Structure formats: structure tokens, C-alpha cells
Amino acid sequence: SVVYLQIEAEVQRRKQLIHQSVERRAIISKCYKPKHPEVYTLQDSFLAPEFLEIERFCSSPGADLQGLLSYLESFSDKRIYRLPVFTEQFCQALVEELENFEQSDMPKGRPNTMNNYGVLLNELGMDEPFLTPLRERLLPITALLYPELGGACLDSHKAFVVKYSLHEDLDLSSHYDNAEVTLNVSLGKEFTEGNLYFGDFNQDPTPVPSYIEVEHVGGRGLLHRGGQIHGALPIASGERWNLIVWMRSSAIRNQLCPMCLRKPELVEAEGFGDGFTEPLPREEPPQTVNVCAL
């Protein structure tokens, strides 16, 4: 049938994605001249002083969830939290770098199946020097906020920047992420409207879901469960850039794929392989998620 052929074509397209991405990464590494090379390596000076304070608290003896919540903005009972992440100066420099890349003749991949405009940050070479250390520095925070989702052992990620503007992507319809925990940081620039909205957790739907809206604030990040249904309302003017980091825990998803809710059957992959890992020979797969607390 037509539907079967469409699905088969999409499966084949997705199988090629990683190889195409590796090819683009090689070309960019060889040919692209960054405008702000310093933004590619995470430095303390890029992080908001409040973020460093939260990080210190969470790494201190006796740190607990109640103490952490006093540093964060919480939204409803959906376990959505806002915290300062980057300085305004860093956000501006990163957006300038991304615009420089966007205007270059380098090959570019779509961030995901829903966003047409933006940048896959691993193709820019930001995984090891920037994104892995950022994810690791978030672990003391996510360990307290999302222990049952592997918040203490988020061991891989997919990171990209999405761009919304009047003549490109305006909004984003309801979806949930292929992630245990998502970080969404507003980088700017000037824009109006475009709030995020959040509904139910995908595994706990209600007959009449309740939605809340959350405003973006420059330099601040939202942490939420990847399975939380969400979307972006249309912007009314200007341009909005957001850094999205899908953080994944192999201890969790090796038990149950968060997208199809079945035990995954793994095949070899390059890179992080969507956060699934094959146990090493003679190593028993983890039986419970308590490995994160060890």
C-alpha cells in the first residue's frame, strides 16, 4: 500500500542519516572557518554565576531536592524547572557563530524531523569540548530532579540549535522527545510570543489534558522530562534561537525504548546510537535502574 511504501522510505532515509552526518562533519571540520572559535570549548565564564552556585550546592554533602528547588523556578506539578544557564555575552557570541555557519556554503543537516532550520552541534565539532562537559555538569542537578529517569547517569546526548523566524519555522506542534531529560535554553535574539506549552507526560495521559504555558527568558534553560508532551506557539516578531540537549540514560533505555515502549533490539551504530548501548561481553544487563545510584 501507499502507506507501507511511505514508511519504508522513511526507515531507509533514517538509516542513512548517521552516514550523511559523518560526511558533513568531515567537510565542516576541514573547510569551515569559525567566527568565534572560543565558543566551541565550555568555560566557566560562559556559565551564569547562579548556575555555578546551583552546581556547587548539588555537589555538596547533604544536598537534597528541597534545597535544590529553592534555587529553581518550578511550573505546576509537571516537574518543569527553569534555571539560569549561560551569560548574555556567551549567548550573543554563540548566536553570531551559528549565523556565520548558516550563511556559509557548508553542508547542513536538519536538527530533527520537525525543525527545518537550525544546526546539529555534533557536526560543528561541539560534542566533546562543549556538550559532554555541559551534560556532565548537569548530572548533580538532574540526579536530584529525575532519579527514576536515570538523572544520575545521563551518559549520552543529541544536541542541536533550532531557529524560529517569520519566514521560516514559526512554531512547533505537540510532540515528546527521544530523551530521558531535555534541556532547552533560550539564546535570544529579540522576539515576541513563541511561548512553550506543556501537556501530559506521555505515559500518563488524561482524558482532558491540562496545558500550561512557559515563557522563554534569554540565557535561562528549562529542564523537563523528555516524555512530557510539549510544543512551541508561533512567534509574532523577530527571531528565536534555542539550544536543545536531549540527554539519555542507557541504563534506562536499554530496558525500554522511550519511543515504542518495547525492549530494544540493538544494531551497531556510529556515535551515541541514540543512547542505547550493548552490554560488554560477560556483563549482565542492568536489572534495575538503581545502577544510577551506585
Side-chain angles (χ1 to χ4, degrees):
S1 71
V2 173
V3 173
Y4 175 82
L5 291 173
Q6 288 174 335
I7 293 171
E8 183 59 31
E10 178 63 12
V11 168
Q12 294 308 319
R13 186 190 73 82
R14 292 189 182 208
K15 284 182 175 178
Q16 295 306 311
L17 284 179
I18 187 66
H19 308 299
Q20 294 164 354
S21 184
V22 168
E23 289 170 5
R24 287 193 298 267
R25 167 85 185 93
I27 294 167
I28 292 164
S29 175
K30 185 176 177 184
C31 305
Y32 175 62
K33 188 176 188 326
K35 179 176 184 175
H36 294 300
E38 69 279 3
V39 304
Y40 286 71
T41 302
L42 184 65
Q43 301 172 38
D44 276 9
S45 60
F46 299 165
L47 296 165
E50 301 95 326
F51 178 88
L52 298 174
E53 192 179 340
I54 293 168
E55 185 184 26
R56 274 194 297 275
F57 168 77
C58 291
S59 303
S60 65
D64 62 2
L65 177 61
Q66 282 310 113
L68 170 58
L69 292 180
S70 67
Y71 289 92
L72 308 177
E73 290 177 83
S74 301
F75 297 92
S76 79
D77 58 352
K78 297 181 187 292
R79 300 172 71 192
I80 302 159
Y81 307 100
R82 183 157 63 199
L83 73 163
V85 180
F86 297 126
T87 65
E88 190 180 335
Q89 294 86 341
F90 170 75
C91 290
Q92 187 176 339
L94 180 57
V95 169
E96 286 179 7
E97 177 58 42
L98 296 166
E99 287 179 321
N100 187 66
F101 176 71
E102 187 186 45
Q103 289 154 16
S104 74
D105 58 1
M106 291 295 107
K108 301 169 184 78
R110 286 176 66 181
N112 56 66
T113 55
M114 298 180 76
N115 291 99
N116 296 294
Y117 299 92
V119 181
L120 285 158
L121 294 181
N122 68 312
E123 294 185 3
L124 272 183
M126 294 186 76
D127 255 352
E128 288 312 311
F130 189 99
L131 293 158
T132 293
L134 178 64
R135 167 171 50 79
E136 289 171 347
R137 294 180 72 159
L138 286 163
L139 284 177
I141 302 171
T142 54
L144 290 174
L145 294 177
Y146 308 108
E148 83 291 0
L149 294 173
C153 52
L154 297 168
D155 50 6
S156 69
H157 60 263
K158 175 180 178 176
F160 49 93
V161 172
V162 293
K163 177 190 173 190
Y164 298 90
S165 69
L166 293 182
H167 304 296
E168 298 177 343
D169 284 340
L170 267 182
D171 56 10
L172 188 60
S173 56
S174 293
H175 64 285
Y176 58 90
D177 300 337
N178 186 357
E180 274 62 73
V181 179
T182 295
L183 173 69
N184 180 335
V185 186
S186 176
L187 302 174
K189 304 164 59 170
E190 294 293 322
F191 60 90
T192 57
E193 304 293 336
N195 288 353
L196 288 183
Y197 63 86
F198 291 88
D200 288 344
F201 189 62
N202 68 340
Q203 293 179 36
D204 307 310
T206 55
V208 182
S210 63
Y211 286 89
I212 62 162
E213 279 189 41
V214 180
E215 190 179 351
H216 273 301
V217 180
R220 291 178 181 255
L222 291 168
L223 280 169
H224 64 83
R225 295 173 293 176
Q228 193 83 44
I229 304 285
H230 60 286
L233 295 168
I235 64 165
S237 68
E239 232 177 64
R240 178 155 78 75
W241 292 75
N242 285 68
L243 168 65
I244 315 289
V245 188
W246 288 351
M247 296 182 284
R248 292 146 168 179
S249 168
S250 57
I252 297 292
R253 59 181 43 216
N254 282 1
Q255 304 299 306
L256 198 71
C257 171
M259 305 307 280
C260 70
L261 301 181
R262 292 199 296 249
K263 184 163 180 64
E265 296 174 16
L266 305 184
V267 296
E268 282 195 34
E270 298 181 61
F272 285 133
D274 270 11
F276 298 95
T277 56
E278 195 73 86
L280 295 169
R282 295 188 186 163
E283 180 188 320
E284 287 296 311
Q287 294 305 307
T288 72
V289 298
N290 290 341
V291 290
C292 303
L294 294 179

